Amino acid sequence: MRQLEKVVPALLLSLLSVGALAAEASLPDALAAPGETAVLTVHADGQQIYECRAGNDGKLVWTLREPAATLIADGKVAGRHFAGPTWQLNDGSAVVGKVQASMPGKTASDVAWLKLEVISHRGDGLLAGVDTVQRINTVGGAMAGPCDQPTATRAMPYTADYIFLRKA
């Protein structure tokens, strides 16, 4: 039984990795990163945090304030994802990204799939040479509905896979 408890999580992680790689291979051109090689794929589990703010037209709308997620690789906590947007690994390396392209999630409840250009690096770990981050396989996280109290916040649970790539 103990052996089974070890095998099942490893099998599930392998299936997630295969799914992420399959999705990566079939990404639309706007999210593709030709000539780049995957350095790391992690699964994120957390929340997209929204704040009620005045939009350009002065009406209150939910605006993304920040993500807050745990990054998981090989069944272990590998780091965290937070405002910036920033991804920081337990090895001390971190990157900040800027959105270059997006496409809608699979349902209206899913946040968009993204391609982000890395605009800053910190640390000498695994993320040190990363140039691009892709967010795929999103589930949940999208905020809908009215907001009527300025500065009110809401957190929407989400999961996603993040692929960190470097130029070959």
Side-chain angles (χ1 to χ4, degrees), residues 50-109:
Y50 294 85
E51 184 173 350
C52 186
R53 296 183 186 164
N56 291 337
D57 60 2
K59 294 181 181 178
L60 294 175
V61 294
W62 290 110
T63 304
L64 180 65
R65 187 176 81 184
E66 63 188 320
T70 300
L71 303 177
I72 302 162
D74 299 325
K76 298 176 185 167
V77 173
R80 63 192 188 107
H81 176 37
F82 54 95
T86 303
W87 296 264
Q88 180 177 327
L89 297 183
N90 293 341
D91 68 7
S93 63
V95 294
V96 176
K98 178 181 178 185
V99 175
Q100 295 297 301
S102 70
M103 64 174 270
K106 290 183 180 180
T107 74
S109 298

Side-chain angles (χ1 to χ4, degrees), residues 50 62 108-109 141-147 154 156:
Y50 294 85
W62 290 110
S109 298
M143 184 71 211
C147 69
R154 281 207 190 143
M156 298 300 291

Side-chain angles (χ1 to χ4, degrees), residues 71 80-89 91-98 116-123 125-134 162-165:
L71 303 177
R80 63 192 188 107
H81 176 37
F82 54 95
T86 303
W87 296 264
Q88 180 177 327
L89 297 183
D91 68 7
S93 63
V95 294
V96 176
K98 178 181 178 185
L116 302 102
E117 172 190 12
V118 172
I119 58 171
S120 71
H121 295 84
R122 186 173 66 236
L126 194 56
L127 298 181
V130 168
D131 298 297
T132 303
V133 179
Q134 294 167 322
Y162 289 96
I163 304 168
F164 300 90
L165 304 119

Side-chain angles (χ1 to χ4, degrees), residues 141-158:
M143 184 71 211
C147 69
D148 53 12
Q149 289 185 326
T151 72
T153 60
R154 281 207 190 143
M156 298 300 291
Y158 92 109

Side-chain angles (χ1 to χ4, degrees), residues 22-59:
E24 180 184 5
S26 63
L27 288 177
D29 290 345
L31 300 184
E36 296 191 33
T37 304
V39 172
L40 175 69
T41 299
V42 297
H43 183 71
D45 190 345
Q47 302 176 333
Q48 296 284 326
I49 302 170
Y50 294 85
E51 184 173 350
C52 186
R53 296 183 186 164
N56 291 337
D57 60 2
K59 294 181 181 178

